[in-house]
């Protein structure tokens, strides 16, 4: 888990907290480049995203997203 607070958009267009990404992913954040990487516990890169400090920052980019908890499944709804 990271000590940073912020958000990223998952591959289904949902906002997730970097503190609770779900999916047993390991998060890596590069603040200067506003980059988020999610890895499996074995080190496979699974997702890359932009780091946003606040939900307002996401909205200011014109993105309308739903914030989901880490318990929300990764994958398309038809895959659950």
């Amino acid at each position: 888990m990271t000590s940073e607070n912020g958000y990223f958009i998952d591959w289904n267009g949902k906002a997730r907290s970097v503190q609770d990404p779900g999916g047993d992913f390991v998060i890596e954040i590069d603040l200067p480049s506003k980059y988020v990487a999610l890895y499996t516990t074995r080190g496979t890169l699974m997702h890359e995203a932009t780091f946003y400090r606040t939900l307002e920052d996401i909205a200011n980019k014109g993105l309308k997203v739903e914030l989901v908890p880490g318990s929300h499944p990764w994958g398309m709804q038809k895959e659950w």
Side-chain angles (χ1 to χ4, degrees):
M1 179 171 0
T2 179
S3 63
E4 292 298 326
N5 290 312
Y7 304 90
F8 67 96
I9 309 298
D10 71 13
W11 55 60
N12 290 322
K14 308 288 187 195
R16 291 181 181 262
S17 168
V18 297
Q19 289 291 321
D20 185 23
D24 293 327
F25 290 123
V26 176
I27 282 245
E28 182 179 296
I29 300 171
D30 182 340
L31 288 176
S33 64
K34 297 182 180 179
Y35 172 81
V36 175
L38 282 92
Y39 297 92
T40 65
T41 54
R42 292 186 175 193
T44 302
L45 178 64
M46 294 300 293
H47 184 64
E48 297 175 295
T50 301
F51 175 78
Y52 298 95
R53 182 64 67 188
T54 66
L55 292 172
E56 184 178 88
D57 291 341
I58 295 173
N60 288 341
K61 293 292 183 182
L63 303 171
K64 294 180 175 134
V65 297
E66 173 187 2
L67 177 62
V68 296
S71 60
H72 185 83
W74 280 78
M76 304 300 286
Q77 186 168 6
K78 65 182 178 187
E79 297 172 333
W80 311 340

